[in-house]
Amino acid sequence: MGMNEALFTFSVRQADSALVLAQRLCEWCGHGPVLEEDIAMSNMGLDLIGQSRGYYSYAANIEGGGRSEDDLAFHRNEREFMNRCLVEQPNGDFGHTMMRSFFYSAFSALQHRELRSSTDETISGVAQKAWKELQYHARHTGQWIVRLGDGTEESHQRIQSSLDELWSFTEELFDTDRIDEQLVSEGIICDIGLLKPEWDVMVNDVLHAAGLVVPPKGYRSKGGMHGVHTEYLGHMLSEMQYLPRAYPDARW
Amino acid sequence: MSDSNNWPTWEVFTQKAQGAPHEHAGNVHAPDAELALLNARDVYSRRNEAISLWVVPTESIVASTPEDVGPFFDPANDKMYRSPNFYKTPDGIKQI
């Protein structure tokens, strides 16, 4: 595969995960349990939209075929989306949303910390900003997991079942394929497999403080990066993409 | 923590630049200090307005009351000699 094609695919994968999670977080807008958390979730969503724009516009540039960042976000179908399956999972309750974001932002913060030293200037630029934002997301969501786990009997039981359900989507975060290997060998991206032990420590610290127990190994998701998704992504995209598809010339 | 209506409020102070004073920005609800800080960040510094934040439990603030207006604040008005108005400020001193 040509370098540009690999770089395009990597960028779109990165953008897709950020955008899909952003859309999920913004679904909370106006529905948060308290005003402050409502704002916090939208803030995190907007950070992720910023990150996805950085990657989409870079991908559109690389492709050079006239597709814009908006075309990539709003005019591709479910099978063409390459996000990790974790981020497309439905919001559930507030704790569920915190758990999902915590897993992702712990991962993504580590990844972007490393990507800051990418030999590719655009990627290192995006990473510089994303790293800061994602550290905050991991802190905010991690704090909530501790409080819910260590809260009432009901909050503990509910956040434990979120952990049980979402845990099976975490291993997929670290999946790679030949495209990644190619970019790693060029120094453009880091080998995310090397970050897994650090992610384990970050996550276990929080889960331990929360008094939560990691479920036994069982089913694990895979294939998001190749367009194979759970049943939820299609529904989410139909809502997210409705307006630009129904009114292609719509302007703010 | 089960009823969010019971969360206490925290007063938020933001510092806009190094050396500048922390100024009162508003308040947030939060169940504890750490989350008060995070909420303050999200509500009052989401567009980089601050480089430092303080949160203080609202109940810790001791405030004057509206009835204090007269006895508390009036007396200095008629004593010009209490204000340092009659000193010359040397050139080159910008802030005093």
Side-chain angles (χ1 to χ4, degrees):
Chain A
M1 183 180 280
M3 184 52 70
N4 272 357
E5 212 180 329
L7 208 47
F8 173 85
T9 303
F10 172 77
S11 298
V12 174
R13 284 175 178 171
Q14 292 285 104
D16 285 347
S17 281
L19 180 66
V20 168
L21 185 56
Q23 173 72 14
R24 282 294 187 215
L25 285 168
C26 290
E27 285 173 6
W28 273 103
C29 189
H31 302 278
V34 291
L35 174 76
E36 288 82 353
E37 287 305 320
D38 196 285
I39 294 174
M41 285 188 280
S42 295
N43 273 349
M44 291 191 272
L46 293 177
D47 286 344
L48 291 167
I49 286 175
Q51 293 169 24
S52 74
R53 288 193 63 184
Y55 282 116
Y56 280 136
S57 56
Y58 189 40
N61 251 340
I62 294 167
E63 192 178 51
R67 272 203 291 183
S68 68
E69 51 178 309
D70 282 343
D71 292 332
L72 290 171
F74 296 115
H75 294 278
R76 282 180 306 132
N77 295 327
E78 182 190 353
R79 282 290 272 125
E80 297 165 285
F81 264 73
M82 300 183 282
N83 59 280
R84 314 279 158 163
C85 291
L86 171 72
V87 292
E88 72 204 35
Q89 297 311 303
N91 284 339
D93 61 21
F94 174 75
H96 201 74
T97 291
M98 292 296 109
M99 188 65 84
R100 185 189 58 200
S101 269
F102 176 66
F103 287 150
Y104 175 80
S105 45
F107 162 77
S108 195
L110 291 173
Q111 185 199 30
H112 282 99
R113 184 189 70 195
E114 299 302 314
L115 288 177
R116 289 180 306 152
S117 48
S118 169
T119 54
D120 182 296
E121 268 178 31
T122 308
I123 290 179
S124 69
V126 171
Q128 196 74 41
K129 189 155 191 296
W131 177 57
K132 285 185 202 156
E133 293 167 345
L134 290 158
Q135 286 178 84
Y136 179 75
H137 299 186
R139 177 176 171 190
H140 188 109
T141 53
Q143 288 287 344
W144 269 111
I145 291 168
V146 172
R147 279 159 183 76
L148 293 169
D150 195 25
T152 65
E153 200 175 313
E154 184 187 353
S155 74
H156 176 86
Q157 177 257 314
R158 283 169 72 161
I159 194 79
Q160 177 67 55
S161 44
S162 294
L163 170 58
D164 295 344
E165 197 176 322
L166 292 170
W167 187 250
S168 52
F169 294 97
T170 53
E171 216 173 315
E172 187 197 347
L173 292 172
F174 295 90
D175 284 351
T176 55
D177 65 3
R178 296 230 304 265
I179 292 171
D180 297 295
E181 286 158 26
Q182 187 180 345
L183 294 173
V184 168
S185 69
E186 297 287 331
I188 293 175
I189 65 170
C190 56
D191 179 355
I192 47 179
L194 299 176
L195 303 173
K196 179 73 163 56
E198 215 177 328
W199 183 87
D200 285 338
V201 170
M202 267 176 93
V203 168
N204 282 329
D205 280 352
V206 165
L207 297 182
H208 180 75
L212 300 174
V213 183
V214 171
K217 234 176 163 46
Y219 163 83
R220 57 97 94 203
S221 68
K222 54 174 183 259
M225 67 199 291
H226 299 116
V228 181
H229 293 283
T230 60
E231 61 185 293
Y232 304 110
L233 182 66
H235 295 282
M236 201 210 82
L237 291 181
S238 67
E239 187 177 322
M240 184 181 89
Q241 298 179 332
Y242 168 77
L243 198 113
R245 288 194 181 221
Y247 305 97
D249 301 322
R251 294 258 171 280
W252 278 110
Chain B
M1 202 194 277
S2 58
D3 182 359
S4 62
N5 293 326
N6 292 336
W7 285 1
T9 57
W10 304 69
E11 299 303 317
V12 179
F13 298 82
T14 57
Q15 185 188 36
K16 291 184 176 57
Q18 200 125 39
H22 283 72
E23 287 172 354
H24 188 235
N27 53 38
V28 291
H29 288 89
D32 56 51
E34 167 70 8
L35 284 176
L37 202 56
L38 300 190
N39 287 347
R41 181 265 189 197
D42 282 318
V43 176
Y44 293 105
S45 188
R46 55 193 294 241
R47 299 187 186 89
N48 277 345
E49 293 95 332
I51 59 159
S52 166
L53 284 174
W54 290 347
V55 289
V56 179
T58 301
E59 61 177 20
S60 300
I61 304 259
V62 181
S64 61
T65 65
E67 294 79 55
D68 284 336
V69 165
F72 237 59
F73 302 111
D74 275 353
N77 278 351
D78 55 352
K79 302 181 192 67
M80 283 301 279
Y81 52 84
R82 286 196 159 190
S83 310
N85 287 345
F86 308 105
Y87 296 96
K88 288 234 169 13
T89 310
D91 292 341
I93 294 186
K94 295 207 174 67
Q95 288 170 328
I96 227 169

